[in-house]
């Protein structure tokens, strides 16, 4: 049995089976919140807009209020085929409001009493078809350009989504410690995602060790500077809505702290895999290389990659706040006031602390890769 699991082909393909089993288990696993519907005596379904009545909409500059009345044909659910009237309430918010036109498809909530439809509230435009098309195109490109590696990437992508939705979010809602849950989820995903690249071998051990050490640094610094900057977790979008929904006991600040290292973990994994692969190639070409020289080569690769990776984090986090920066500039807000603003300070923590993780993961991974991979070569030669 030991000889079977020591075969390179078994170690390489084993993560795929583990990942597929984990995906199947997570698909079956209930979140515990399936019955937490906002509308208990209502049906959610899709509808096609046949006609619209905008006569009760009030325009005040850019803001629209009132309601849009729509004639709808219900496309699924227990009232499939029925024609009814729907109401699209406008709150005067460009961010949240939407307008429908004839021919649009919408998600609706049908309140009913038995077979009688009492009211229909229009939730939003139906986008599921286009989202499925986008996902299918992404998967197809991965398979075309990366082949079997693309299939592994799709599996890791699906696993990550399921773990976040079926494990991380429910445990946060149940009040589990966000830091420990986040670290556990990150370690599990880091191990399995990197194993899908290398298999369960020494390269995987080196990359996972370096990655998680960098994530621990990010976690510690994120906790420290969140307290020093006096950032409350309510700075996260929709967090106050969560409190008003009956979850007042949640520690939003700890959830914010966990989001710092969760957000940086992908870039940390990427850099650790790059360094590990480089060290492995060097050791393969130079069997006489000691672990110190191998680690030094890994550091040289890490130095070259760190500059672009930290900039990647900057682009990723600042992209969602372009409108806010434009508001500051349009109002002539001084730069020191901008940097001191709570939302900007929160993004600085995300970016700079995440960059700390990237800077530290390079020497950690280089050292781990040198020890693990050069040691492997030394053991092979001694036999």
């Amino acid at each position: 049995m030991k000889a079977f699991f020591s075969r390179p082909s078994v170690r390489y393909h084993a993560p795929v089976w583990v990942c597929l089993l984990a995906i199947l288990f997570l698909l079956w696993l209930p979140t515990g919140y399936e019955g937490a519907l906002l509308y208990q005596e209502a049906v959610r379904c899709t509808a096609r807009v046949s006609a619209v009545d905008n006569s009760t909409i009030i325009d005040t500059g850019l803001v629209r209020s009132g309601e849009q009345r729509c004639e709808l044909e219900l496309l699924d659910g227990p009232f499939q085929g029925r024609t009814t009237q729907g109401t699209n309430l406008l709150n005067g918010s460009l961010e949240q409001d939407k307008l429908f036109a004839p021919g649009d498809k919408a998600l609706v909530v049908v309140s009913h009493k038995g077979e009688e439809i009492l009211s229909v509230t229009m939730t939003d435009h139906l986008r599921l078809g286009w989202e499925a098309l986008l996902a299918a195109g992404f998967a197809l490109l991965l398979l075309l350009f990366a082949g079997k590696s693309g299939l592994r990437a799709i599996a890791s992508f699906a696993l990550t989504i399921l773990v976040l939705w079926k494990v991380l979010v429910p445990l946060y809602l149940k009040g589990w410690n966000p830091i420990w849950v986040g670290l556990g989820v990150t370690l599990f995903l880091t191990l399995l995602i990197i194993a899908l690249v290398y298999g369960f071998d020494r390269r995987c051990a080196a990359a996972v060790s370096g990655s998680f050490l960098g994530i621990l640094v990010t976690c510690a610094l994120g906790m420290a500077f969140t307290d020093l900057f006096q950032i409350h977790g309510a700075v996260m979008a929709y967090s106050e809505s969560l409190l008003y929904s009956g979850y007042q006991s949640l520690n939003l600040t700890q959830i914010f702290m966990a989001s710092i290292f969760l957000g940086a973990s992908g870039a940390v994994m990427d850099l650790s895999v790059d360094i590990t692969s480089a060290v492995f190639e060097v050791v393969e070409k130079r069997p006489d290389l000691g672990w110190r020289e191998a680690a030094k080569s890994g550091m040289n690769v890490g130095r070259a990659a760190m500059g672009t990776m930290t900039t990647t984090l900057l682009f990723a986090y600042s992209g969602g706040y372009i409108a806010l920066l434009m508001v500051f500039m349009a109002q002539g807000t001084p730069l020191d006031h901008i940097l001191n603003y709570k939302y900007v300070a929160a993004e600085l923590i995300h970016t700079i602390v995440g960059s700390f993780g990237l800077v530290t993961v390079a020497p950690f991974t280089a050292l781990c890769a040198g020890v693990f991979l050069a040691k492997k070569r030394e053991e092979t030669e001694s036999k």
Side-chain angles (χ1 to χ4, degrees):
M1 183 64 69
K2 183 178 179 181
F4 175 77
F5 285 106
S6 64
R7 295 177 184 174
S9 61
V10 174
R11 293 200 305 267
Y12 181 68
H13 293 294
V16 178
W17 293 108
V18 174
C19 183
L20 291 177
L21 289 174
I23 289 173
L24 291 175
F25 172 74
L26 290 169
L27 286 173
W28 166 83
L29 182 69
T31 63
Y33 293 90
E34 286 80 6
L37 296 176
L38 183 60
Y39 303 99
Q40 294 290 345
E41 296 182 2
V43 175
R44 298 172 185 266
C45 60
T46 60
R48 181 183 290 109
V49 179
S50 304
V52 296
D53 178 8
N54 297 332
S55 61
T56 57
I57 295 178
I58 302 171
D59 290 317
T60 308
L62 294 175
V63 177
R64 286 184 160 183
S65 57
E67 63 182 31
Q68 181 187 40
R69 297 166 183 168
C70 302
E71 184 177 330
L72 304 173
E73 177 190 353
L74 302 180
L75 301 178
D76 52 31
F79 302 103
Q80 182 177 0
R82 296 267 294 269
T83 300
T84 185
Q85 296 290 323
T87 304
N88 174 29
L89 298 175
L90 303 176
N91 302 312
S93 169
L94 291 174
E95 178 185 2
Q96 298 178 0
D97 289 342
K98 62 278 175 187
L99 283 177
F100 296 93
D104 288 348
K105 289 185 178 180
L107 286 174
V108 300
V109 177
V110 181
S111 298
H112 63 95
K113 185 177 181 181
E115 295 296 322
E116 180 187 0
I117 296 177
L118 301 177
S119 65
V120 178
T121 302
M122 304 181 69
T123 305
D124 211 334
H125 289 88
L126 181 64
R127 303 181 179 93
L128 297 179
W130 292 111
E131 290 173 354
L133 180 63
L134 186 64
F138 170 68
L140 182 61
L141 281 176
L142 270 178
L143 292 175
L144 287 176
F145 288 105
K148 293 181 179 179
S149 297
L151 188 61
R152 289 170 177 257
I154 294 171
S156 67
F157 194 84
L159 177 67
T160 302
I161 293 174
L162 286 171
V163 168
L164 295 179
W165 182 248
K166 290 293 191 81
V167 178
L168 185 80
V169 173
L171 292 182
Y172 277 5
L173 286 173
K174 291 174 182 176
W176 288 43
N177 187 290
I179 304 296
W180 291 112
V181 171
L183 286 173
V185 165
T186 305
L187 177 59
F188 171 75
L189 289 175
T190 299
L191 173 61
L192 206 47
I193 290 170
I194 293 178
L196 285 168
V197 176
Y198 293 129
F200 290 124
D201 63 7
R202 291 181 183 268
R203 290 175 298 174
C204 176
V208 170
S209 300
S211 294
F212 204 64
L213 287 172
I215 289 169
L216 287 176
V217 170
T218 307
C219 175
L221 289 175
M223 294 172 65
F225 279 96
T226 299
D227 286 336
L228 290 172
F229 283 19
Q230 297 183 17
I231 300 295
H232 191 277
V235 73
M236 297 181 294
Y238 299 106
S239 57
E240 287 190 63
S241 300
L242 184 61
L243 295 180
Y244 299 148
S245 299
Y247 294 92
Q248 296 91 343
S249 61
L250 293 181
N251 191 326
L252 293 181
T253 303
Q254 285 192 348
I255 294 175
F256 173 78
M257 292 174 180
S259 72
I260 297 171
F261 63 81
L262 279 171
S265 61
V268 167
M269 274 191 285
D270 189 15
L271 184 56
S272 67
V273 167
D274 290 343
I275 295 172
T276 302
S277 297
V279 173
F280 177 76
E281 288 297 321
V282 170
V283 171
E284 285 292 300
K285 296 295 188 296
R286 286 282 309 278
D288 59 320
L289 207 64
W291 71 267
R292 291 182 180 84
E293 291 79 7
K296 185 177 179 181
S297 298
M299 272 301 303
N300 291 333
V301 174
R303 290 192 189 98
M306 271 187 280
T308 56
M309 291 302 293
T310 53
T311 308
T312 300
L313 282 182
L314 176 61
F315 280 129
Y317 290 127
S318 63
Y321 282 85
I322 290 296
L324 180 61
L325 297 176
M326 292 171 67
V327 169
F328 286 141
M329 181 167 288
Q331 294 177 346
T333 308
L335 184 59
D336 57 340
H337 287 209
I338 294 175
L339 294 176
N340 196 64
Y341 192 56
K342 180 169 60 175
Y343 287 96
V344 176
E347 289 309 306
L348 284 175
I349 292 177
H350 273 288
T351 305
I352 298 177
V353 171
S355 298
F356 265 104
L358 286 174
V359 171
T360 55
V361 77
F364 285 146
T365 306
L367 180 61
C368 292
V371 171
F372 279 102
L373 301 180
K375 180 181 178 182
K376 177 188 176 183
R377 175 60 64 183
E378 291 170 5
E379 289 176 352
T380 303
E381 290 178 349
S382 64
K383 291 180 180 179

